[in-house]
Structures are given as C-alpha cells and as structure tokens.
Amino acid sequence: MNDPAIRLAGLRKAFGRNQVLRGIDLTIPAGRVTVLMGANGAGKSTLVKILCGVHGADAGTVTLDGRPFAPASPSAALRAGVVTVHQNINDGVVPDLDVASNLLLDTLADGSGTFLNRRRMRERAREIAAAVGLEIDVTRQVADLSLADRQLVAIARAMAHDPRLMILDEPTSSLSAVEAERLFDLIESLRDRGVAILYISHRMSDIRRLADRIVSMRDGQIAGVFEEAPLDYSGSVRAMLGHEMTEADITIPAPGRTVLEVSDLVLRPGAAPFSLVARENEVIAITGLVGSGKSDLAGALFGLAPPLSGQMVLDGRPHRPTDARAAIAAGVYMCPKDRLITAVVADFDITRNITIPFLPRHSRASFLSRGSERRTAERMIGEMGVICQTPMDGILTLSGGNQQKVMVARWMAEASRLLILDEPFQGVDIQARRDIGHKIRATAGTRATIVFVAELDEALEIADRILVMSEHSIVGEHRNENIDVSAIMAEVVEAAPARAAGLQHG
Amino acid sequence: MDNRTSLVDLAIRYGFLVLMAALIVFFGIMAEGFLTPFSAVFILQSVAITGILALGVTATLVVGGFDLSIGAVATSALMLSSYVMVVWEMSALSAVLICLAMGAFVGLINGLLVVKMRVPDLLATLGMMFLLVGAQRIPTEGRSISTGMSLPDGSVANGKFSEAFLALGRHRIDFIAPNLVPLSVIFLIAIAIGVWVFLETTRHGRLMYAIGSNQQAASLAGANVNRYKIVAYMISGVLASVGGILLAARLGRGDVASGNNLLLDSVAAALIGFAVLGASKPNAFGTAIGALFVGILLQGLTMMNAPYYTQDFVKGAVLVIALVFTFALSGRGGRARG
C-alpha cells in the first residue's frame, strides 16, 4: 500500500511580489500519515489551498494516482478525491441543519431534484456515519453537538466521497485530550484503508502519536523530510524553525527588584502548574510552538482570561485583573499579537493610535488637549524611529514595521510595571525588528518585560532569560549566555508528560 | 494620473457641498420666493426635529451600532407628553422630564439588548421600534390625545397643553426680522454643537470612535466598550425623545399619525453626513449638513409643486448617491454598515 497517492513537483505560487511557495517537491504516499510542520508564513496553508482547489499554482505539477490533478474549485478537488478538514470546525458543517443534512450536503449542493426524501436521506446518512464509526443520532442539530462531534461529522461527510487524500489542518486545536484520541483512532483506521493522510499540526504530542513521516517547511520550501524510524522529532523542529543564529550581543544587566511573582499557575485542565519571577531591568522571552500556551499566559497576566488556579503577585500585592482595564490600572500593559485585528485603529492617525490607552493624561475634565497629544506622539515617533511625514498620517499609510513601532510606542508612552509584548516582530522587516528590540532593551530598567515569541532567533536577540513553554506549562529556563540551542529545541519539542496527564483528567 | 486622483479627492471632499450649493441656486431660479429669510426659516424648522434625531443616530453609528427605534421613541414621546399633560394634568416641566427619562430608559434597554444579550443592533432596535409603536397606543386605545377626549374608562380628559410647553415648538425669536427664528431651530443648533463637541473634543468621543473602528483594539487598550455602547444608545434615545417633545409642542395634540417619516429622514441625514467633506465616518457636522440638505431638497420640491411621492423617490435617490460617495469613491468601505 505504499504507492504514491499524490506527487508534487516544482510547485510555485506567489501573491504579488511575495513568493509563498518556492518550488515544492513532495510525495504523499497512500496508507501513511504524513505530518506537515512549518512556522507561520512558511507556506503550509497556501500549499493546502492549492491541493483543495482554492488557489491555482503558478508553476509545477500535481499528480494524483498518476493522473494530472489541477482542481479548478474546491468541489472539483472533492470529486477527484481530495478532502480537507479545516482548522475552523464550523467551516466544515452547517450548524443550523441536522446531522443527516450535513452528511449529505455535497450531494444536496450538486444533486438533482428539488424535494427531499427525509427517510432516504436519513438511511444514507446512517450508512455514512457507520462507515467511519461515528455513533450519533442523525436527526440532531449540529449546533447541539460538541466541537469534537462536529468535527467527526465533517470528517464523515468528507469520507462519503471515498477520498484518496485527506488533509487535516490543525484538527485538534479545540479538542480535549479524550476527544483528540477518538479523532486519532479514526485517522488510523482511514490510513489502514489506504487513504493518504496529510496532517498539519504543531502539537508534538499529536505528531508523536500519529506521524509515519514528517515533512518540515520553511520559507516556502521543503526544509526536511523525516521518515526513518525512529523519527527524528527534534531534527524536524530544527528544520522548521531554522537556526541561522544572529550574533546575539546581549550583555545581561544585574536584575533589579522583583515585580511579578507567579506561582503554581495552571492555564488549562491537565496542564502542569508552573511558576515564574520577573524583575526590573530584565527582559524575559517566552518561546514555544504555536498552541503551546503563550497567548494564554499573556491573557492571564493581562486579565483577559483568569488562570484555572495559582497565584499572581505584582509588587507584593495580589494581581487578579478582571479585564484589560484593571490590568492597565495595575501597571500591566500588553502589546497584543496580530496588530491589524487587535491593536490598529484603522480610522485613526498615528497620534490618536498612540494616545488611546492614556487619554485621561491628555485631557482636562474630559476635554482633550491636542497639544498634549501631539507632544507625546512626536516624542514617541522620535524615540521609536517611526518613519512618517507627520504625526497626522493615517496609520494604514505606514509600512508593517512602522505600524508595529506605533503599537509598541502606544504602550511605552507611559511608565509600566510589567510590559508584555506578544509577538512584537510579527510581519516586521529586519530593520524595524532591530529598532524595536533595541528600544525594548534600552527602556527595560524601570519595569519587568516579558516578550512572547515563537521564533527562537527572536528570543536570542532580545532576552536576558529565555523560558520555554510547551503544553501550557513552562518546561525550561535558560540564561541567554553561551546558550545551548539544541537543548532549547529539545524542550520546545519535549512535552508528552503534560499531555498524558491531561488524558487522565479528561 | 496624479491630476485624476486629486480630482477624485476633491470630488469626495467637496462634492456634496457643491451639490448643495447647486441645489440652492437651482431652486432659487426655478421656485419663486425660495431665496428669502422666511423660506430659509421654514427649511430650518422642518429640519429641526429630523436633525436632532439624526444626531442621536450618529452617536450609535460612531460606536459601530445602529438605532432603528428613534422614530418610534419620538412618537412615543409625543404621545407620552400629551398624556401626561392632558390626562394626568401635570405641568409642562414634568412632561418634558418624564419624556426624557423614557428616552434614556429605552436607550438603556436597547444598549443592554445589544451588549449583554448579544442581539444584533439592527434587530434589537427594530424589535424595540415595533414594541413602542404598539405600546404608545395602548393607553388611549389607538386614538389621538387632545383636550376633551373621552378615555377608555368613560371619563373625559380635562387637562391641556400648557402655554410654556407649546412655546417650545412655536415660539419665535427676533433675529433679522421680528418673530423669525423658531425655538426648535435654536435647539437643533445647540444640540448639534453639543454632540460635535462631545464626539470630537472629549476623550469619551475619541474612545467611541475607536470602538467603532476596531472594537477589539479599543477593548485591549482599556476602553470600557460595553459602557460606551450603552451610553451611545442612551444618547440616541434621549435625543429622539427631545425630537418627540418638540413635535408635540408644534402640533399641540398627541397625534397618532404624526412622525411616520421621522425614521427614514433622520437615518438618511446621518448617512448623507458620511459623505460631507469626505469624512467617510459618522460625524455631527456632516449629519447637520445632511439634514439641511434633505430639508432644502424637500422645500424646493414643495415650492415647485412636486407631488409627495416624488419627494420620497428623490430622498431615496440622494441617499443612495451619498452612500456611493462614501463607500465606493473613497475606497474605505471598511467601516459601518448603513
């Protein structure tokens, strides 16, 4: 059963000037689970979208069972036997319909006849469900099902097409450990029936559980293929992250007073409790793969979602913010990731974007002082080196790097006790990255600073101390001095125990 | 190329003001007596109530919401103020205060529906509109309210509209000519300035614009999103009840059939306001100009003896054109829905 199901040769794709796929050669054999790893922007999702008919490739060929395969639309890909289960579960199901209608949705969409025969539909739906071992009442509304069951419905629906290749894009990201286990069993039974599986994930525990082979992508190219048992997991992560080390010229200063003390924090059920201390004049980088819990930790510190248990102490007083406002009032500021969604106010100019959180400082009896705002904006534009015509430029006229400088400036305009920066180098050019990193370090003296980054290079560039997160817990701590990169890599990958504990607690 | 883009920019920025000037010239030539102070005052008076309502809608548009219940709030205030004075025989002051409280309360409920119950704004305020349209007729079993009417329980209502109350809608101030400018116009101007000052120069207004542009970013910057949204609906409710009070004072009776056009006219004014000076966002100045624009158009058409249905058609057409100015030409369609 090892005949190649899908073969990609010289696949290229560009969006405008941005080369996303730069010559992909890859086979995805039938009857095996191929795990695809890659950091954000490596080109994974573009690759998937070409395979499932959303985009066309610019160059290169795809063959499916020896025949050329170039689907013009998602439904063409489906008919040819390539099915995709998306990360966002609700993309795969229609919540307002019952299970039977969902299972037969594709036949409804391009079937013939106008009226529905309820009884026949249910019978056919039951057959489809049984074929994947899904035990479910097909008359139930999908909206009433758990996320896991919805996903199984989406997979069962896909299976009705007798697929040759099944693509699963981060399928466990919203499942509990027990639910994920059910999914894994299903995937294995599909594999044993000769379906080629392309499984996209960052979760090492999933990968260990399922992978027959691992393909690592980086910058639009295949960076490594690992298929000899035992699989080289850390090798695959290294290939995915790359490690062209920038010379880290970090001189670690003497840390000052303790600002934040976190003890026995539990971020999600089953995750191991952890503790950490952040001090003045110290920049901590917390690194880990996507989904390792970095954002959850940032959210707990900034009051977006309280931790399940454990204590946070800020300057000797309990720190239990109920929302962002409370956190800001306590002196904890956060520059969030995904700036265009979570930070940039598109209708505002640079000045107004900078002054949003601290308007009381710029107003008297609620009336704003334009002069005070402009002075702060000019000062911050100068300090951060934002390249712009005037402080009244619209924020969207700036490049990504300059937008990010403005977002960082927003939170550096006032003194903080703890400054959290979540992926501050996301979508930022190299010069802006240097400027922002330098500024963060230069101003760190009077506060504690925690930077969350997925890329190890970025952590090495900015931090005095590097903490490694995995499975929603901190699994390693390193002083950024003569650092052993492979040890950190191993910790990034290492995680099985916490997940196993999760299985027992459900 | 540069020339063309700057021409488009000019069209976006000043297109509407030029159109309005052209309209005034056109009616000035075509309709006799259009360019007189009296005609101007008449336009302002007809615009006053819709303008005040439109300023309320503007507040909800700023936070990315929408209020369809304003027309119904205004007619409810019309009926309520009449009921308070005619049936309960209370003073003008209590009538005004009770109506304002009613407007604030309706706005509070609208805001809570949107913020806490997560009902989409259009649906929440549409539901509230139907509710109010019905509720305002229950006490009188669907009849208009005037002195001497018989009540459902058989008694006769003896109260009447006090002079002070009627003055709100009818009194005229000496300006240029004696007895020229109606009080309601003064209210409109004062409220427009007040809303403009609030939205443009206070930190609360700034945060409301931030919420309308990117709610999540505003929230992560520490803005109390829910509270500002509720405040916006309360402003809308209160201003709508002010409009209703002025309408009652002008009519001098609780007329069930009045105010049918209030919703359409004021929403049109607020949306036309997007296009004024190429703002591409809700703003108090634009809204006032939008209301004036609609008023000029209707007055001109009336003086040219155009039938009422043509007026509705023209109003709709102007609204569509204004929306094209805002969304297509300025290429910043991201914001707000209309």
Side-chain angles (χ1 to χ4, degrees):
Chain A
M1 289 260 246
N2 270 341
D3 53 322
I6 279 233
R7 192 190 294 273
L8 288 67
L11 210 60
R12 288 178 167 276
K13 178 75 184 173
F15 295 103
R17 261 195 266 157
N18 188 8
Q19 292 280 337
V20 181
L21 296 182
R22 303 192 285 184
I24 301 279
D25 297 297
L26 180 66
T27 52
I28 307 168
R32 305 189 71 183
V33 176
T34 302
V35 167
L36 179 62
M37 294 173 79
N40 287 335
K44 285 173 312 196
S45 17
T46 307
L47 183 61
V48 168
K49 281 178 180 161
I50 289 175
L51 289 178
C52 68
V54 176
H55 296 319
D58 295 341
T61 55
V62 181
T63 50
L64 176 65
D65 292 328
R67 286 187 301 276
F69 171 71
S73 69
S75 59
L78 205 59
R79 277 196 298 275
V82 174
V83 301
T84 311
V85 178
H86 290 283
Q87 182 173 10
N88 185 348
I89 291 168
N90 285 328
D91 284 355
V93 292
V94 183
D96 290 342
L97 293 179
D98 62 7
V99 172
S101 306
N102 265 283
L103 290 176
L104 296 169
L105 205 55
D106 305 300
T107 30
L108 291 180
D110 54 22
S112 54
T114 305
F115 296 101
L116 304 172
N117 181 333
R118 292 248 153 231
R119 199 172 44 81
R120 259 222 324 269
M121 273 178 68
R122 274 181 213 142
E123 272 168 24
R124 176 83 187 106
R126 279 191 201 101
E127 285 167 26
I128 294 171
V132 295
L134 172 64
E135 288 167 15
I136 203 166
D137 176 5
V138 297
T139 60
R140 282 179 68 184
Q141 295 277 308
V142 166
D144 300 337
L145 300 179
S146 70
L147 281 180
D149 282 335
R150 287 187 206 192
Q151 191 157 41
L152 291 179
V153 167
I155 293 175
R157 178 182 147 203
M159 286 312 295
H161 294 271
D162 200 14
R164 297 296 301 136
L165 169 67
M166 173 172 275
I167 303 168
L168 297 110
D169 190 357
E170 305 250 9
T172 58
S173 50
S174 27
L175 301 188
S176 76
V178 177
E179 292 168 335
E181 195 55 36
R182 265 170 71 198
L183 178 68
F184 298 154
D185 287 342
L186 177 57
I187 291 172
E188 280 174 339
S189 80
L190 295 178
R191 175 191 65 190
D192 294 343
R193 268 191 263 163
V195 180
I197 310 272
L198 183 63
Y199 188 95
I200 296 160
S201 180
H202 284 107
R203 277 200 185 167
M204 285 318 293
S205 50
D206 294 5
I207 294 170
R208 281 170 198 278
R209 169 79 171 71
L210 275 179
D212 295 318
R213 50 203 293 273
I214 302 175
V215 174
S216 300
M217 269 184 91
R218 179 174 172 80
D219 292 337
Q221 287 172 312
I222 301 294
V225 178
F226 304 84
E227 44 192 344
E228 276 159 42
L231 289 173
D232 180 5
Y233 298 109
S234 51
S236 63
V237 173
R238 210 171 302 139
M240 156 182 137
L241 295 179
H243 54 111
E244 309 127 38
M245 284 302 115
T246 30
E247 304 146 48
D249 52 349
I250 300 278
T251 355
I252 302 178
R257 278 190 299 148
T258 296
V259 175
L260 175 77
E261 255 185 297
V262 168
S263 42
D264 301 320
L265 209 66
V266 178
L267 290 175
R268 67 150 60 172
F274 63 91
S275 304
L276 77 92
V277 172
R279 301 180 190 86
E280 280 181 355
N281 204 21
E282 180 186 45
V283 178
I284 299 174
I286 299 186
T287 186
L289 299 173
V290 172
S292 60
K294 299 191 301 289
S295 296
D296 301 64
L297 176 54
L301 292 169
F302 196 55
L304 304 182
L308 290 181
S309 65
Q311 279 80 50
M312 300 186 284
V313 175
L314 186 75
D315 287 328
R317 280 192 301 275
H319 177 58
R320 280 190 291 268
T322 49
D323 54 16
R325 263 157 35 88
I328 294 168
V332 175
Y333 304 165
M334 180 175 81
C335 182
K337 67 174 174 183
D338 301 323
R339 66 172 169 273
L340 282 175
I341 300 165
T342 58
V344 168
V345 178
D347 283 352
F348 281 11
D349 60 14
I350 298 173
T351 307
R352 292 174 183 210
N353 263 292
I354 289 178
T355 55
I356 290 182
F358 305 108
L359 288 178
R361 167 143 312 213
H362 302 289
S363 52
R364 191 173 289 174
S366 285
F367 287 97
L368 290 165
S369 152
R370 293 277 155 94
S372 160
E373 285 193 83
R374 203 189 53 240
R375 279 191 296 280
T376 298
E378 276 167 358
R379 173 169 62 88
M380 293 316 295
I381 286 170
E383 282 184 18
M384 294 297 304
V386 178
I387 296 162
C388 60
Q389 310 279 327
T390 75
M392 282 89 80
D393 288 0
I395 185 77
L396 293 185
T397 64
L398 303 182
S399 70
N402 281 306
Q403 282 177 21
Q404 186 67 24
K405 284 181 181 176
V406 172
M407 293 305 120
V408 175
R410 175 187 289 178
W411 295 108
M412 286 199 179
E414 298 288 326
S416 54
R417 293 306 297 144
L418 170 65
L419 181 63
I420 304 163
L421 299 112
D422 197 357
E423 296 291 353
F425 307 120
Q426 213 176 28
V428 158
D429 59 275
I430 187 82
Q431 186 55 46
R433 171 171 151 182
R434 295 242 166 86
D435 291 352
I436 293 171
H438 180 255
K439 192 70 201 165
I440 291 172
R441 287 194 63 80
T443 56
T446 55
R447 56 154 201 263
T449 310
I450 300 181
V451 184
F452 291 90
V453 286
E455 298 263 343
L456 188 50
D457 289 5
E458 296 174 357
L460 290 167
E461 236 174 64
I462 194 170
D464 302 319
R465 196 147 60 94
I466 297 174
L467 306 185
V468 181
M469 262 195 114
S470 178
E471 309 284 344
H472 286 74
S473 188
I474 287 176
V475 294
E477 178 174 344
H478 307 262
R479 211 172 136 80
N480 192 5
E481 235 173 20
N482 308 319
I483 209 154
D484 180 0
V485 173
S486 58
I488 297 185
M489 287 288 188
E491 283 166 358
V492 167
V493 174
E494 197 53 60
R499 178 93 177 179
L503 255 180
Q504 277 141 30
H505 298 290
Chain B
M1 189 65 205
D2 266 349
N3 262 336
R4 242 192 79 214
T5 43
S6 66
L7 211 66
V8 171
D9 278 350
L10 278 179
I12 291 168
R13 251 184 111 65
Y14 299 110
F16 235 83
L17 294 181
V18 170
L19 202 60
M20 194 156 99
L23 213 57
I24 293 172
V25 172
F26 174 77
F27 285 132
I29 296 167
M30 300 298 290
E32 204 179 325
F34 182 81
L35 289 179
T36 60
F38 293 98
S39 153
V41 165
F42 195 84
I43 289 171
L44 284 175
Q45 188 173 17
S46 73
V47 155
I49 292 170
T50 50
I52 290 170
L53 262 62
L55 288 163
V57 183
T58 304
T60 60
L61 287 170
V62 166
V63 293
F66 205 99
D67 191 349
L68 286 178
S69 69
I70 43 160
V73 172
T75 50
S76 295
L78 162 72
M79 297 301 282
L80 182 61
S81 59
S82 312
Y83 200 85
V84 167
M85 286 180 294
V86 173
V87 180
W88 290 346
E89 301 179 22
M90 288 164 78
S91 70
L93 183 65
S94 17
V96 168
L97 291 180
I98 288 172
C99 285
L100 293 179
M102 184 275 297
F105 180 72
V106 171
L108 177 67
I109 300 295
N110 277 335
L112 290 174
L113 284 175
V114 171
V115 165
K116 299 283 183 205
M117 306 292 162
R118 304 190 177 285
V119 183
D121 41 42
L122 285 174
L123 302 182
T125 55
L126 185 70
M128 183 57 74
M129 176 183 106
F130 288 131
L131 186 154
L132 290 175
V133 165
Q136 70 197 16
R137 296 180 182 199
I138 290 173
T140 60
E141 296 184 332
R143 279 168 296 169
S144 296
I145 301 172
S146 55
T147 306
M149 73 179 289
S150 58
L151 296 170
D153 63 7
S155 61
V156 172
N158 287 322
K160 55 177 185 160
F161 280 74
S162 75
E163 286 306 317
F165 188 85
L166 292 174
L168 290 176
R170 295 175 179 176
H171 183 70
R172 284 162 182 265
I173 291 173
D174 301 343
F175 182 73
I176 302 179
N179 279 342
L180 183 67
V181 181
L183 214 49
S184 56
V185 173
I186 308 289
F187 284 124
L188 170 68
I189 292 169
I191 289 172
I193 292 172
V195 172
W196 184 85
V197 166
F198 177 75
L199 289 177
E200 297 293 330
T201 72
T202 73
R203 64 189 172 89
H204 307 295
R206 178 71 64 76
L207 287 175
M208 285 169 68
Y209 274 117
I211 289 166
S213 178
N214 186 342
Q215 180 172 333
Q216 198 181 352
S219 170
L220 286 176
N224 193 336
V225 171
N226 287 353
R227 199 176 64 192
Y228 279 113
K229 282 191 152 181
I230 291 174
V231 165
Y233 283 100
M234 290 179 71
I235 291 173
S236 180
V238 169
L239 292 187
S241 68
V242 170
I245 292 166
L246 293 179
L247 189 61
R250 189 193 296 170
L251 295 173
R253 63 196 293 265
D255 187 348
V256 284
S258 289
N260 287 337
N261 263 337
L262 284 176
L263 174 64
L264 174 65
D265 290 2
S266 47
V267 166
L271 293 179
I272 287 171
F274 278 37
V276 175
L277 290 182
S280 290
K281 60 177 189 183
N283 66 98
F285 177 72
T287 299
I289 297 292
L292 201 57
F293 189 91
V294 173
I296 289 172
L297 201 62
L298 295 187
Q299 172 72 356
L301 289 172
T302 310
M303 290 178 75
M304 286 174 67
N305 293 323
Y308 67 94
Y309 41 84
T310 337
Q311 300 186 2
D312 277 354
F313 168 76
V314 171
K315 235 186 305 182
V318 167
L319 177 56
V320 170
I321 292 168
L323 293 175
V324 170
F325 262 103
T326 307
F327 292 99
L329 291 185
S330 68
R332 293 203 309 189
R335 205 203 149 81
R337 51 266 184 110

